[in-house]
Amino acid sequence: MTVTVRFAPSPTGRIHIGNARTALFNWLFALKHGGRFVQRFDDTDLERSRQEYADSILYDLHWLGIFPDQTEYQSRRFSSYDAAVEKLKAAGLLYPCYETSEELELRRKVRRTRGMPPVYGREALKLTEEERSAHEQEGRRPHWRFLLPNFSSDPFETQRTEVHWNDLVRGEETVDLASLSDPVLVREDGTYLYTLPSVVDDIEMGITHVIRGDDHVTNTGVQIALFKALGAEPPAFGHHNLLTTSSGEGLSKRTGALSIESLRESGIEPMSVASLAVLVGTSENVTAMHDLTELAGKFDPAATSKSAAKFDPDELLVLNRALLHQMPFAEARDRLILLGVNGEKAEPFWTAVRGNLDRLSDAVSWWRVLREGPEAPVEMSDEDREFVGQAFDLLPEEPWDGNVWKDWTAAVRKATGRKGKALFMPLRLAITGLESGPELADLLPLVGREGILARRP
Ligand code: GLU
């Protein structure tokens, strides 16, 4: 069977780097196994879901290099969920309940004071036909619970019922169905909670591997029971650890913190995001991977830690620098053109400045400095000014070869007796207006003799 995975966010906000971790785990898994990637939008909550968020999630995924083979929206698939509901009802596995949330809370309290686990006691199963219709006549609408298979013949006599799976990330996992309440699958207003649509989709879309955050481990016990109740073989499951900020806070779509959009806008490269999102909290070192194929080579779900992975957003800049410092011109060219960096000098310019960039867009200010000179008038002592004037007088005539900087500074050293920093710092300041930057040997041919002489302080 073709490996088929899915990434299933609710389109209720922009995705963040933690969501990107889930998406990339799935994408890389599919990449490694020659599989398919289904993009599924869990948008059964019609109030909070928005098409514009779904569109922006797709945009963010493309930016990261993820191109789904199939895109699905749960809001267009209600007839499949309705059919599953009928099937469960017919099998006696879905039963109507009329309790309000206050009544349920009260019951939980009573159970706790009696030292019983605060799970639902299946009281609604005991309702007679008359009691049900009395509730209906009062105007109450039922919510529907799935009868978990955690008993042998009497549903009020639950017994330990272990559901096992060999988790792709966590190894052997067990959930005891007797420790859980029968989950509500359908609300009073007829809307679906996440649990059932997810299973129905996983069945109908032929999902072979469900890879998601470890906040879903308990759900998996319930969902495996649901797969079986619907007559399907459950897929394989993998639950990866979640990302938290260095202070231990979780990430939320709603706050927009560390959203992929904000990282993109702040000039972070997609592969910086992908490298950190995938490698943090694993036994691999976090280093800058150049593309997703290279990253796939380092990706091993089983090498992921079981505890939450703290990450430092500053690490993104470290990865960004590493990527830019080695980025070939061909890869940067189109983006440089959009930034106004073009012409025959664009390539040597890129090679000269890339080692000094935090963000690709920082190249623009270097381009400007090299073409137009220092941004502000350069401050230097009279002595240095005189030195620079003397040095400029010694600048070789063009055409220049690759030794021009060496030849020039040798001549300047001989004439002035200056060397080291005393020699090159005033030259650097006069030419760029800055105390640090790319090698002057590389900058010189980019500025040209005329350009240098125009910078005489
Ligand atoms: N919509 C669910 C979530 O974002 C999907 C979980 C799953 O992958 O099954 O948590």
Side-chain angles (χ1 to χ4, degrees):
M1 214 181 349
T2 313
V3 164
T4 307
V5 297
R6 86 294 196 279
F7 172 52
S10 301
T12 53
R14 306 293 308 226
I15 50 168
H16 51 60
I17 187 163
N19 305 124
R21 181 174 179 82
T22 309
L24 285 160
F25 266 49
N26 279 286
W27 179 254
L28 297 177
F29 191 84
L31 203 62
K32 281 188 108 146
H33 295 91
R36 301 179 70 252
F37 179 102
V38 177
Q39 175 56 39
R40 187 183 90 200
F41 289 108
D42 285 3
D43 58 348
T44 52
D45 181 346
L46 301 173
E47 291 270 296
R48 290 176 48 229
S49 302
R50 296 231 197 311
Q51 184 62 41
E52 71 206 58
Y53 287 133
D55 294 341
S56 67
I57 289 171
L58 285 172
Y59 186 87
D60 291 343
L61 293 180
H62 294 170
W63 181 74
L64 285 167
I66 295 176
F67 296 91
D69 296 290
Q70 184 181 336
T71 302
E72 300 283 351
Y73 292 83
Q74 293 196 321
S75 57
R76 301 176 193 172
R77 297 183 31 79
F78 285 118
S79 59
S80 287
Y81 314 144
D82 296 346
V85 159
E86 290 317 314
K87 195 167 173 181
L88 293 173
K89 280 184 187 167
L93 295 176
L94 198 63
Y95 60 98
C97 306
Y98 293 87
E99 296 92 343
T100 62
S101 41
E102 293 77 31
E103 284 164 350
L104 289 171
E105 182 50 36
L106 196 66
R107 277 209 208 124
R108 273 195 291 271
K109 272 194 193 137
V110 172
R111 287 181 77 94
R112 260 191 232 112
T113 49
R114 290 188 190 152
M116 295 156 80
V119 295
Y120 180 62
R122 294 181 164 153
E123 288 80 358
L125 263 188
K126 295 182 186 149
L127 293 177
T128 61
E129 265 313 310
E130 292 75 48
E131 285 167 323
R132 278 186 200 157
S133 54
H135 280 315
E136 298 275 344
Q137 268 161 23
E138 269 174 37
R140 289 205 194 193
R141 289 283 159 265
H143 51 273
W144 296 81
R145 286 186 192 262
F146 171 51
L147 186 63
L148 286 171
N150 53 12
F151 57 95
S152 56
S153 54
D154 179 356
F156 301 102
E157 289 291 324
T158 58
Q159 58 196 36
R160 187 169 176 86
T161 309
E162 291 183 354
V163 172
H164 298 275
W165 72 93
N166 188 3
D167 197 283
L168 296 167
V169 175
R170 303 163 60 88
E172 280 305 322
E173 278 290 335
T174 304
V175 168
D176 173 18
L177 293 183
S179 69
L180 304 175
S181 296
D182 287 341
V184 176
L185 301 188
V186 188
R187 297 189 187 89
E188 283 78 2
D189 61 2
T191 57
Y192 287 102
L193 280 104
Y194 145 81
T195 314
L196 177 71
S198 180
V199 170
V200 170
D201 287 349
D202 289 342
I203 296 171
E204 294 189 6
M205 293 168 195
I207 302 301
T208 58
H209 295 77
V210 169
I211 302 171
R212 55 188 176 186
D214 60 16
D215 48 339
H216 286 288
V217 169
T218 311
N219 280 344
T220 297
V222 169
Q223 289 186 329
I224 286 179
L226 253 181
F227 275 101
K228 292 186 176 159
L230 291 169
E233 200 46 51
F237 286 90
H239 297 88
H240 64 73
N241 52 355
L242 301 183
L243 300 189
T244 69
T245 60
S246 1
S247 55
E249 277 165 77
L251 304 174
S252 157
K253 270 210 228 85
R254 252 161 284 168
T255 59
L258 294 159
S259 72
I260 301 302
E261 179 190 39
S262 68
L263 297 176
R264 177 170 57 243
E265 284 177 356
S266 66
I268 302 296
E269 297 293 311
M271 280 312 300
S272 305
V273 176
S275 304
L276 184 65
V278 171
L279 297 177
V280 72
T282 72
S283 54
E284 286 288 340
N285 287 334
V286 178
T287 51
M289 298 285 112
H290 296 95
D291 54 37
L292 292 179
T293 311
E294 189 186 359
L295 185 55
K298 295 249 175 191
F299 168 67
D300 173 11
T304 308
S305 143
K306 281 198 194 182
S307 44
K310 283 194 179 173
F311 80 102
D312 178 1
D314 289 346
E315 195 138 359
L316 288 168
L317 264 191
V318 175
L319 295 168
N320 228 44
R321 279 184 215 119
L323 285 171
L324 292 169
H325 295 184
Q326 294 163 24
M327 187 179 282
F329 174 66
E331 214 175 290
R333 184 177 49 214
D334 292 351
R335 291 162 67 194
L336 291 173
I337 290 174
L338 288 177
L339 293 168
V341 177
N342 52 25
E344 60 184 26
K345 287 198 171 166
E347 180 160 7
F349 165 78
W350 174 251
T351 314
V353 303
R354 64 182 179 179
N356 284 79
L357 306 179
D358 287 347
R359 302 173 172 81
L360 186 132
S361 58
D362 297 345
V364 178
S365 49
W366 282 112
W367 185 246
R368 208 175 307 122
V369 164
L370 298 184
R371 291 169 74 96
E372 295 164 17
E375 278 179 11
V378 177
E379 308 252 331
M380 62 174 80
S381 65
D382 290 345
E383 212 181 319
D384 281 349
R385 195 179 309 274
E386 197 184 317
F387 160 76
V388 171
Q390 236 180 318
F392 278 18
D393 289 340
L394 292 166
L395 189 63
E397 292 292 336
E398 280 169 333
W400 288 344
D401 61 18
N403 288 326
V404 61
W405 170 252
K406 228 169 93 204
D407 296 345
W408 182 33
T409 48
V412 172
R413 196 179 308 121
K414 202 163 161 214
T416 65
R418 285 209 191 197
K419 55 183 182 187
K421 199 172 170 191
L423 182 149
F424 70 74
M425 188 54 86
L427 295 179
R428 176 178 285 288
L429 277 174
I431 295 169
T432 68
L434 299 164
E435 285 181 356
S436 63
E439 295 288 336
L440 285 170
D442 297 331
L443 296 187
L444 218 53
L446 293 167
V447 179
R449 186 177 151 82
E450 202 183 320
I452 304 271
L453 296 181
R455 286 160 164 82
R456 195 181 281 273

